[in-house]
Amino acid sequence: MAQKNLNYHVMPRRGWLNDPNGLVYFKENYHIFYQADENSMDGSVNKAWGHYATKDFQTYTRHATAVSPDSKYDKNGAYSGSAIIRDDILYVFYTGNVKYEGPYDFIHEGREHNVMRVESRDGITFEHKKCLLRNSDFPKDCTRHVRDPKLFMKDGRYHLILGARLKNDTGCVLEYVSDDLESWKYAHRYVPAKDTGFMIECPDYLQLQGEAFLLCSPQGLKKQGYEFHNVYDCGYYKISNRQLIDYQTLDYGFDFYAAQTFYNADRNILIAWIGMPDNAYIDRYEAWNQTLTMPRSIFFDKRIIQKPIQEILALRTDRKLYTNDFVIGKSCNIEWDADSDFSLQMNAIRCVYRNHKFTLDLSACSCNRQERCITPIEIRHVSVFIDESVLEIFINEGEYTMTSRFYDDEHSLHVTSENIKRFVTYNMRGFNIL
């Protein structure tokens, strides 16, 4: 069965999508850039930057490709990065990927990861491409994998952080400083106190409720109980004296990676890729492949809390109450309170809460995704968003989330349950794409 277009999740124009990039509020628009490969369904041809803009997160303008790999410093891909504003000009920084021909391992030799910059006065057309940092500018103990520049202001200066893989196969984050966005000086590195993995990707610096955090996607974390079962993780560290401590996973589903936050917005908004690099999943696609999460507001209260932003909740219509089994369209929101163990079946999706363990079971969905669990957990409330083949679960008002793709051949969602007293449901209106 052909996979349907999504209703309230951003899709690529055609071809492939992965990491959100350069999230920024500029010229009265929220700009959502993303890794795009319009000539490939798996991102293997040439990565560029796709581009949506929106004023209200409900109506979107899909713009032409924003950044293309068209120079000797990025000829094999305009990889991930971020955006910052100076003097009413939008500056985009990204990783220029260059791969040499030959029998290289492309980790220790055979590639370049260059810090690139382009600029725009309108947020749509970019020019004045420059290469600002090359591998020779990074510390000598780094491999060729140093990428994903994130820009921010702190103490009156511009700061740039990069995820890095070191030659001893551990990960860290490098920090550079500048006064003009042109000349950059190496300042220091952030090193995980433990659980380093071999690489840190997609770093993002956050200050929430007076504490500093490093949002990132560490690669190579070892399984611990029910944690770190995905190929790679996505989470955050607290920053303490340049050490990264108290790592927490951001999302416990199958598909969540490369989370980033908006620069220059009036609130903290996060978007991630609903996907996972190097996975063994089976995804359905025809004209397009992969998508991004709903925008989520975030704040810190013992852990980072994630909730759909109000503009997304405003898409809900047709509120109904159910006390037993029901059928609903596959663009919907389903909520319920919990005061004891329960189970829920939505077509082939199964959710079970028993003995302080919540299990998302997709083993019957024919997508090579099995089970993901959260334990120990005390569940009070659950809100599930379904969008054709996307599943986003918010537990305890965003204390925990689980994000995944799923696939079935049903046109509607058939919901059955045990020990759930009442459901509140909504249909979800779709985005307008101009």
Side-chain angles (χ1 to χ4, degrees), residues 141-399:
D141 60 342
C142 291
T143 65
R144 313 298 284 184
H145 283 215
V146 181
R147 56 180 174 266
D148 308 335
K150 178 70 178 191
L151 277 290
F152 57 94
M153 288 287 294
K154 187 173 70 172
D155 301 327
R157 305 190 76 188
Y158 298 103
H159 292 248
L160 179 154
I161 53 177
L162 292 156
R165 178 174 182 168
L166 303 181
K167 291 178 180 177
N168 65 356
D169 287 331
T170 61
C172 76
V173 172
L174 310 177
E175 183 163 5
Y176 289 74
V177 294
S178 174
D179 294 311
D180 58 6
L181 294 179
E182 187 89 20
S183 300
W184 293 91
K185 181 179 179 180
Y186 175 67
H188 53 258
R189 67 182 64 184
Y190 296 100
V191 179
K194 60 179 182 178
D195 303 328
T196 63
F198 61 79
M199 171 76 192
I200 291 179
E201 283 199 320
C202 306
D204 191 351
Y205 178 85
L206 299 176
Q207 285 195 316
L208 300 172
Q209 283 66 53
E211 297 197 59
F213 299 90
L214 186 94
L215 190 70
C216 62
S217 295
Q219 299 184 336
L221 297 184
K222 295 180 180 179
K223 291 181 182 178
Q224 297 179 15
Y226 290 104
E227 292 192 293
F228 313 142
H229 281 239
N230 288 339
V231 178
Y232 306 127
D233 206 63
C234 182
Y236 60 94
Y237 292 95
K238 285 186 179 180
I239 298 176
S240 176
N241 297 323
R242 299 181 186 173
Q243 267 203 332
L244 304 177
I245 63 172
D246 300 340
Y247 181 79
Q248 292 281 339
T249 293
L250 260 177
D251 189 281
Y252 291 83
F254 293 86
D255 301 86
F256 187 93
Y257 198 75
Q260 291 286 291
T261 59
F262 276 85
Y263 178 80
N264 196 43
D266 60 358
R267 54 198 154 143
N268 293 307
I269 303 176
L270 175 148
I271 294 178
W273 170 32
I274 304 182
M276 182 63 56
D278 304 329
N279 68 70
Y281 303 152
I282 299 171
D283 289 313
R284 296 183 182 180
Y285 50 83
E286 288 186 1
W288 60 272
N289 190 12
Q290 307 293 303
T291 185
L292 301 178
T293 64
M294 298 184 296
R296 303 175 178 186
S297 66
I298 60 171
F299 64 93
F300 186 75
D301 183 6
K302 299 180 181 177
R303 62 183 298 125
I304 289 182
I305 308 299
Q306 306 171 70
K307 297 182 178 183
I309 61 174
Q310 287 299 315
E311 292 92 332
I312 294 295
L313 297 181
L315 296 172
R316 300 189 300 187
T317 64
D318 306 321
R319 183 178 186 269
K320 293 183 179 179
L321 303 179
Y322 293 96
T323 56
N324 45 36
D325 301 348
F326 61 94
V327 178
I328 192 170
K330 291 174 73 176
S331 180
C332 66
N333 173 214
I334 303 170
E335 299 189 332
W336 68 92
D337 293 325
D339 55 14
S340 62
D341 293 353
F342 63 81
S343 65
L344 176 78
Q345 191 84 32
M346 299 179 290
N347 292 354
I349 302 166
R350 184 165 175 79
C351 300
V352 178
Y353 176 55
R354 284 202 174 87
N355 299 322
H356 308 290
K357 182 174 79 170
F358 183 79
T359 302
L360 171 64
D361 183 353
L362 299 184
S363 58
C365 289
S366 302
C367 57
N368 212 26
R369 294 162 173 87
Q370 301 301 315
E371 293 184 354
R372 291 292 180 266
C373 302
I374 305 173
T375 188
I377 184 173
E378 199 76 37
I379 294 184
R380 302 179 301 276
H381 181 80
V382 182
S383 182
V384 175
F385 288 82
I386 297 282
D387 189 359
E388 304 300 345
S389 60
V390 168
L391 169 69
E392 295 191 58
I393 302 174
F394 297 82
I395 300 173
N396 295 345
E397 305 294 344
E399 183 179 358

Side-chain angles (χ1 to χ4, degrees), residues 60-118:
Y60 291 76
T61 299
R62 184 159 45 196
H63 293 289
T65 298
V67 182
S68 297
D70 54 9
S71 78
K72 67 178 183 179
Y73 299 111
D74 62 3
K75 65 178 184 178
N76 297 116
Y79 279 14
S80 291
S82 62
I84 198 165
I85 302 165
R86 183 189 186 201
D87 297 333
D88 209 32
I89 297 174
L90 181 65
Y91 292 90
V92 158
F93 286 68
Y94 67 96
T95 295
N97 184 51
V98 177
K99 295 184 76 172
Y100 304 156
E101 293 185 6
Y104 300 109
D105 67 357
F106 301 109
I107 299 172
H108 297 88
E109 56 183 356
R111 83 184 312 156
E112 300 172 19
H113 275 170
N114 302 309
V115 175
M116 308 294 293
R117 192 191 74 188
V118 292

